[in-house]
Amino acid sequence: MTRISRDQWNTLGRDSFDARMVAIIRRHHPEQAARLDFPALVAAIHRQTARARHHGLADERSVATYVYTAWLMGEEFDRRIPAVAQILADRTMSAADKSQALTNFSKLVFRALDGGANDAGRRAA
């Protein structure tokens, strides 16, 4: 019987996570993703995964939320946006709570941007 070591399982899981994140990014942001080849996208995912772990996000869902938020907001979003930096630095918050806060923040930002565009269109009409 062939045995798979813990490191091999971790690598298989990591490869699967990377491939799924690349697929999500390419599906939802095809023009931006087209500028990067697969290795470049995976390298960006690895950088953001390391940052997520630094902030206490270790489960797949919270790491995926962080990686996707970085794609939407920019690689340094966790340093540039004070409210996000404060949330991520809070060692009393669980990973799930931090992940939910990132989701809520992203929704709020994009609703505000969408509302601003709609308001400008209505004023011009």
Side-chain angles (χ1 to χ4, degrees), residues 14-105:
R14 176 64 182 240
D15 290 347
S16 172
F17 176 80
D18 294 345
R20 286 180 285 137
M21 287 305 304
V22 167
I24 289 167
I25 290 167
R26 284 188 171 161
R27 182 175 342 127
H28 295 287
H29 308 281
E31 291 178 21
Q32 298 91 335
R35 296 180 198 145
L36 301 171
D37 61 12
F38 186 83
L41 275 171
V42 170
I45 290 167
H46 287 185
R47 284 192 305 276
Q48 294 309 319
T49 298
R51 291 176 78 114
R53 292 187 187 285
H54 169 77
H55 292 300
L57 306 173
D59 64 282
E60 185 174 276
R61 183 178 184 149
S62 63
V63 171
T65 300
Y66 184 94
V67 169
Y68 195 70
T69 303
W71 181 263
L72 294 172
M73 303 287 178
E75 286 201 37
E76 298 287 325
F77 82 99
D78 61 332
R79 294 183 180 146
R80 282 186 298 101
I81 305 168
V84 171
Q86 184 176 5
I87 290 165
L88 293 172
D90 188 340
R91 298 294 176 201
T92 64
M93 287 181 74
S94 70
D97 289 342
K98 289 180 182 184
S99 178
Q100 187 61 53
L102 288 177
T103 299
N104 293 344
F105 179 79

